[in-house]
Amino acid sequence: MNRKGLLPKLFIITLTYFVLGFVSILFANLALLCMALPFILLAKAKKKVWCQNYCPRASLLTVAGKKKNWRKNPALITSGKLRRIMLWYFGLNLLFITGSTVQVALGRMEAMPYIRLFIAIELFSLPQLLTVQTPLFLIHLSYRFYGMMASTTILALVLSRLYRPRIWCAACPIGTLSDALLKARRV
Ligand code: SF4
């Protein structure tokens, strides 16, 4: 199957990621792979191979997004404001995730074994099909990644239904950082 034929089906990977959280929350750490792969491919090909051919989230948004009567992009998008907000959100989130996981590992903070959306909205723990003896800091880390992936996926899906399927790509931190790296290479 060629790569163009593959992209429309890759949304299965995103759905599988969220379902695997119910098997074991430890699978949520696969988010690290999702974050690293775009940059590994970028370094190899010197272009946004991930965004163009392999991004499961782009695939999901294409499948689930509004099909017709697209609205004009909101000023939040055209001004680049949402892009900056999301970049800050992404950076701070990674900082909080790393810091809190280290604190839990050192016994200075209690683990938070539940989903939190957009850093602040506390939800619930997921029922687990597999229970593995795992250090608490790993459970904490897994829930933080799961929450981060869930938050951005929900936001991207809402935007895709309100405006157009891949409007999220204009604010996606991975896309923004990829553009910045490509630009820096050309300077
Ligand atoms: S910009 Fe983000 S969501 Fe869009 S294709 Fe690239 S990595 Fe995927």
Side-chain angles (χ1 to χ4, degrees), residues 14-35:
T14 303
L15 299 182
T16 306
Y17 174 84
F18 289 114
V19 171
L20 280 176
F22 290 82
V23 178
S24 167
I25 193 61
L26 295 177
F27 283 115
N29 293 304
L30 288 171
L32 272 177
L33 194 65
C34 292
M35 285 186 259

PDB file of all heavy atoms in Angstrom, residues 14-35:
ATOM      1  N   THR A  14      -4.694   6.239  16.621  1.00  0.00           N
ATOM      2  CA  THR A  14      -5.125   7.155  17.688  1.00  0.00           C
ATOM      3  C   THR A  14      -6.185   6.490  18.558  1.00  0.00           C
ATOM      4  O   THR A  14      -6.114   6.535  19.791  1.00  0.00           O
ATOM      5  CB  THR A  14      -5.695   8.460  17.072  1.00  0.00           C
ATOM      6  OG1 THR A  14      -4.693   9.024  16.245  1.00  0.00           O
ATOM      7  CG2 THR A  14      -6.089   9.456  18.135  1.00  0.00           C
ATOM      8  N   LEU A  15      -7.155   5.864  17.909  1.00  0.00           N
ATOM      9  CA  LEU A  15      -8.218   5.209  18.678  1.00  0.00           C
ATOM     10  C   LEU A  15      -7.638   4.088  19.540  1.00  0.00           C
ATOM     11  O   LEU A  15      -7.992   3.933  20.717  1.00  0.00           O
ATOM     12  CB  LEU A  15      -9.303   4.659  17.744  1.00  0.00           C
ATOM     13  CG  LEU A  15     -10.032   5.712  16.875  1.00  0.00           C
ATOM     14  CD1 LEU A  15     -11.109   5.054  16.029  1.00  0.00           C
ATOM     15  CD2 LEU A  15     -10.655   6.802  17.749  1.00  0.00           C
ATOM     16  N   THR A  16      -6.701   3.326  18.933  1.00  0.00           N
ATOM     17  CA  THR A  16      -6.084   2.217  19.670  1.00  0.00           C
ATOM     18  C   THR A  16      -5.338   2.740  20.896  1.00  0.00           C
ATOM     19  O   THR A  16      -5.378   2.136  21.974  1.00  0.00           O
ATOM     20  CB  THR A  16      -5.112   1.428  18.759  1.00  0.00           C
ATOM     21  OG1 THR A  16      -5.829   1.045  17.597  1.00  0.00           O
ATOM     22  CG2 THR A  16      -4.560   0.195  19.444  1.00  0.00           C
ATOM     23  N   TYR A  17      -4.664   3.872  20.726  1.00  0.00           N
ATOM     24  CA  TYR A  17      -3.918   4.467  21.853  1.00  0.00           C
ATOM     25  C   TYR A  17      -4.857   4.683  23.044  1.00  0.00           C
ATOM     26  O   TYR A  17      -4.543   4.309  24.170  1.00  0.00           O
ATOM     27  CB  TYR A  17      -3.288   5.795  21.412  1.00  0.00           C
ATOM     28  CG  TYR A  17      -2.621   6.540  22.540  1.00  0.00           C
ATOM     29  CD1 TYR A  17      -1.316   6.247  22.916  1.00  0.00           C
ATOM     30  CD2 TYR A  17      -3.309   7.523  23.257  1.00  0.00           C
ATOM     31  CE1 TYR A  17      -0.707   6.919  23.977  1.00  0.00           C
ATOM     32  CE2 TYR A  17      -2.707   8.193  24.311  1.00  0.00           C
ATOM     33  CZ  TYR A  17      -1.404   7.887  24.664  1.00  0.00           C
ATOM     34  OH  TYR A  17      -0.814   8.556  25.715  1.00  0.00           O
ATOM     35  N   PHE A  18      -6.027   5.276  22.774  1.00  0.00           N
ATOM     36  CA  PHE A  18      -6.936   5.579  23.894  1.00  0.00           C
ATOM     37  C   PHE A  18      -7.568   4.299  24.460  1.00  0.00           C
ATOM     38  O   PHE A  18      -7.771   4.208  25.674  1.00  0.00           O
ATOM     39  CB  PHE A  18      -7.994   6.594  23.460  1.00  0.00           C
ATOM     40  CG  PHE A  18      -7.392   7.972  23.260  1.00  0.00           C
ATOM     41  CD1 PHE A  18      -7.331   8.557  22.014  1.00  0.00           C
ATOM     42  CD2 PHE A  18      -6.846   8.653  24.335  1.00  0.00           C
ATOM     43  CE1 PHE A  18      -6.735   9.809  21.835  1.00  0.00           C
ATOM     44  CE2 PHE A  18      -6.252   9.905  24.182  1.00  0.00           C
ATOM     45  CZ  PHE A  18      -6.203  10.474  22.921  1.00  0.00           C
ATOM     46  N   VAL A  19      -7.822   3.319  23.602  1.00  0.00           N
ATOM     47  CA  VAL A  19      -8.388   2.056  24.102  1.00  0.00           C
ATOM     48  C   VAL A  19      -7.354   1.319  24.958  1.00  0.00           C
ATOM     49  O   VAL A  19      -7.684   0.751  26.013  1.00  0.00           O
ATOM     50  CB  VAL A  19      -8.862   1.173  22.913  1.00  0.00           C
ATOM     51  CG1 VAL A  19      -9.242  -0.223  23.392  1.00  0.00           C
ATOM     52  CG2 VAL A  19     -10.044   1.829  22.212  1.00  0.00           C
ATOM     53  N   LEU A  20      -6.089   1.366  24.521  1.00  0.00           N
ATOM     54  CA  LEU A  20      -5.038   0.665  25.278  1.00  0.00           C
ATOM     55  C   LEU A  20      -4.903   1.189  26.706  1.00  0.00           C
ATOM     56  O   LEU A  20      -4.470   0.470  27.604  1.00  0.00           O
ATOM     57  CB  LEU A  20      -3.691   0.805  24.556  1.00  0.00           C
ATOM     58  CG  LEU A  20      -3.470  -0.146  23.370  1.00  0.00           C
ATOM     59  CD1 LEU A  20      -2.148   0.168  22.673  1.00  0.00           C
ATOM     60  CD2 LEU A  20      -3.515  -1.602  23.800  1.00  0.00           C
ATOM     61  N   GLY A  21      -5.315   2.438  26.919  1.00  0.00           N
ATOM     62  CA  GLY A  21      -5.305   3.003  28.273  1.00  0.00           C
ATOM     63  C   GLY A  21      -6.185   2.205  29.219  1.00  0.00           C
ATOM     64  O   GLY A  21      -5.938   2.179  30.432  1.00  0.00           O
ATOM     65  N   PHE A  22      -7.203   1.530  28.673  1.00  0.00           N
ATOM     66  CA  PHE A  22      -8.090   0.701  29.500  1.00  0.00           C
ATOM     67  C   PHE A  22      -7.482  -0.687  29.727  1.00  0.00           C
ATOM     68  O   PHE A  22      -7.883  -1.386  30.636  1.00  0.00           O
ATOM     69  CB  PHE A  22      -9.467   0.538  28.839  1.00  0.00           C
ATOM     70  CG  PHE A  22     -10.279   1.803  28.841  1.00  0.00           C
ATOM     71  CD1 PHE A  22     -10.076   2.784  27.886  1.00  0.00           C
ATOM     72  CD2 PHE A  22     -11.250   2.020  29.816  1.00  0.00           C
ATOM     73  CE1 PHE A  22     -10.810   3.962  27.894  1.00  0.00           C
ATOM     74  CE2 PHE A  22     -11.989   3.188  29.840  1.00  0.00           C
ATOM     75  CZ  PHE A  22     -11.767   4.161  28.872  1.00  0.00           C
ATOM     76  N   VAL A  23      -6.554  -1.079  28.865  1.00  0.00           N
ATOM     77  CA  VAL A  23      -5.868  -2.365  29.066  1.00  0.00           C
ATOM     78  C   VAL A  23      -4.819  -2.168  30.158  1.00  0.00           C
ATOM     79  O   VAL A  23      -4.818  -2.845  31.179  1.00  0.00           O
ATOM     80  CB  VAL A  23      -5.223  -2.850  27.740  1.00  0.00           C
ATOM     81  CG1 VAL A  23      -4.464  -4.156  27.965  1.00  0.00           C
ATOM     82  CG2 VAL A  23      -6.288  -3.019  26.656  1.00  0.00           C
ATOM     83  N   SER A  24      -3.937  -1.216  29.929  1.00  0.00           N
ATOM     84  CA  SER A  24      -2.994  -0.796  30.976  1.00  0.00           C
ATOM     85  C   SER A  24      -2.615   0.649  30.687  1.00  0.00           C
ATOM     86  O   SER A  24      -2.253   0.983  29.552  1.00  0.00           O
ATOM     87  CB  SER A  24      -1.738  -1.670  30.970  1.00  0.00           C
ATOM     88  OG  SER A  24      -0.755  -1.047  31.777  1.00  0.00           O
ATOM     89  N   ILE A  25      -2.682   1.467  31.699  1.00  0.00           N
ATOM     90  CA  ILE A  25      -2.383   2.888  31.513  1.00  0.00           C
ATOM     91  C   ILE A  25      -0.921   3.086  31.099  1.00  0.00           C
ATOM     92  O   ILE A  25      -0.558   4.113  30.526  1.00  0.00           O
ATOM     93  CB  ILE A  25      -2.749   3.706  32.785  1.00  0.00           C
ATOM     94  CG1 ILE A  25      -2.745   5.207  32.491  1.00  0.00           C
ATOM     95  CG2 ILE A  25      -1.830   3.373  33.941  1.00  0.00           C
ATOM     96  CD1 ILE A  25      -3.715   5.676  31.461  1.00  0.00           C
ATOM     97  N   LEU A  26      -0.101   2.054  31.348  1.00  0.00           N
ATOM     98  CA  LEU A  26       1.321   2.173  30.982  1.00  0.00           C
ATOM     99  C   LEU A  26       1.504   2.380  29.476  1.00  0.00           C
ATOM    100  O   LEU A  26       2.477   2.985  29.033  1.00  0.00           O
ATOM    101  CB  LEU A  26       2.091   0.925  31.432  1.00  0.00           C
ATOM    102  CG  LEU A  26       2.153   0.715  32.944  1.00  0.00           C
ATOM    103  CD1 LEU A  26       2.860  -0.584  33.273  1.00  0.00           C
ATOM    104  CD2 LEU A  26       2.847   1.881  33.630  1.00  0.00           C
ATOM    105  N   PHE A  27       0.536   1.899  28.680  1.00  0.00           N
ATOM    106  CA  PHE A  27       0.622   2.097  27.224  1.00  0.00           C
ATOM    107  C   PHE A  27       0.592   3.587  26.853  1.00  0.00           C
ATOM    108  O   PHE A  27       0.987   3.965  25.767  1.00  0.00           O
ATOM    109  CB  PHE A  27      -0.521   1.378  26.504  1.00  0.00           C
ATOM    110  CG  PHE A  27      -0.329  -0.111  26.385  1.00  0.00           C
ATOM    111  CD1 PHE A  27      -1.192  -0.984  27.031  1.00  0.00           C
ATOM    112  CD2 PHE A  27       0.694  -0.639  25.618  1.00  0.00           C
ATOM    113  CE1 PHE A  27      -1.027  -2.358  26.925  1.00  0.00           C
ATOM    114  CE2 PHE A  27       0.874  -2.011  25.500  1.00  0.00           C
ATOM    115  CZ  PHE A  27       0.010  -2.876  26.154  1.00  0.00           C
ATOM    116  N   ALA A  28       0.099   4.408  27.775  1.00  0.00           N
ATOM    117  CA  ALA A  28       0.010   5.844  27.478  1.00  0.00           C
ATOM    118  C   ALA A  28       1.380   6.452  27.203  1.00  0.00           C
ATOM    119  O   ALA A  28       1.496   7.485  26.541  1.00  0.00           O
ATOM    120  CB  ALA A  28      -0.656   6.581  28.637  1.00  0.00           C
ATOM    121  N   ASN A  29       2.428   5.777  27.707  1.00  0.00           N
ATOM    122  CA  ASN A  29       3.781   6.301  27.480  1.00  0.00           C
ATOM    123  C   ASN A  29       4.213   6.215  26.019  1.00  0.00           C
ATOM    124  O   ASN A  29       5.232   6.790  25.634  1.00  0.00           O
ATOM    125  CB  ASN A  29       4.780   5.574  28.382  1.00  0.00           C
ATOM    126  CG  ASN A  29       4.515   5.906  29.835  1.00  0.00           C
ATOM    127  OD1 ASN A  29       4.508   7.066  30.197  1.00  0.00           O
ATOM    128  ND2 ASN A  29       4.256   4.898  30.649  1.00  0.00           N
ATOM    129  N   LEU A  30       3.402   5.520  25.210  1.00  0.00           N
ATOM    130  CA  LEU A  30       3.678   5.506  23.767  1.00  0.00           C
ATOM    131  C   LEU A  30       3.582   6.915  23.180  1.00  0.00           C
ATOM    132  O   LEU A  30       4.020   7.172  22.059  1.00  0.00           O
ATOM    133  CB  LEU A  30       2.684   4.574  23.048  1.00  0.00           C
ATOM    134  CG  LEU A  30       2.895   3.073  23.280  1.00  0.00           C
ATOM    135  CD1 LEU A  30       1.732   2.279  22.707  1.00  0.00           C
ATOM    136  CD2 LEU A  30       4.213   2.614  22.657  1.00  0.00           C
ATOM    137  N   ALA A  31       2.990   7.836  23.952  1.00  0.00           N
ATOM    138  CA  ALA A  31       2.925   9.233  23.501  1.00  0.00           C
ATOM    139  C   ALA A  31       4.319   9.768  23.202  1.00  0.00           C
ATOM    140  O   ALA A  31       4.499  10.600  22.309  1.00  0.00           O
ATOM    141  CB  ALA A  31       2.259  10.087  24.577  1.00  0.00           C
ATOM    142  N   LEU A  32       5.305   9.272  23.953  1.00  0.00           N
ATOM    143  CA  LEU A  32       6.684   9.720  23.731  1.00  0.00           C
ATOM    144  C   LEU A  32       7.138   9.393  22.312  1.00  0.00           C
ATOM    145  O   LEU A  32       7.814  10.183  21.662  1.00  0.00           O
ATOM    146  CB  LEU A  32       7.619   9.023  24.724  1.00  0.00           C
ATOM    147  CG  LEU A  32       7.810   9.721  26.063  1.00  0.00           C
ATOM    148  CD1 LEU A  32       8.701   8.867  26.954  1.00  0.00           C
ATOM    149  CD2 LEU A  32       8.437  11.105  25.867  1.00  0.00           C
ATOM    150  N   LEU A  33       6.726   8.204  21.854  1.00  0.00           N
ATOM    151  CA  LEU A  33       7.073   7.780  20.494  1.00  0.00           C
ATOM    152  C   LEU A  33       6.402   8.707  19.476  1.00  0.00           C
ATOM    153  O   LEU A  33       7.024   9.139  18.500  1.00  0.00           O
ATOM    154  CB  LEU A  33       6.597   6.332  20.299  1.00  0.00           C
ATOM    155  CG  LEU A  33       7.137   5.580  19.099  1.00  0.00           C
ATOM    156  CD1 LEU A  33       8.643   5.377  19.240  1.00  0.00           C
ATOM    157  CD2 LEU A  33       6.451   4.217  18.976  1.00  0.00           C
ATOM    158  N   CYS A  34       5.114   9.020  19.736  1.00  0.00           N
ATOM    159  CA  CYS A  34       4.367   9.916  18.833  1.00  0.00           C
ATOM    160  C   CYS A  34       5.032  11.284  18.761  1.00  0.00           C
ATOM    161  O   CYS A  34       4.960  11.967  17.747  1.00  0.00           O
ATOM    162  CB  CYS A  34       2.939  10.125  19.325  1.00  0.00           C
ATOM    163  SG  CYS A  34       1.948   8.675  19.213  1.00  0.00           S
ATOM    164  N   MET A  35       5.657  11.702  19.873  1.00  0.00           N
ATOM    165  CA  MET A  35       6.287  13.026  19.880  1.00  0.00           C
ATOM    166  C   MET A  35       7.665  12.981  19.231  1.00  0.00           C
ATOM    167  O   MET A  35       8.108  13.953  18.637  1.00  0.00           O
ATOM    168  CB  MET A  35       6.381  13.551  21.316  1.00  0.00           C
ATOM    169  CG  MET A  35       5.047  14.024  21.839  1.00  0.00           C
ATOM    170  SD  MET A  35       5.233  14.787  23.443  1.00  0.00           S
ATOM    171  CE  MET A  35       4.703  13.483  24.504  1.00  0.00           C
TER     172      MET A  35
END
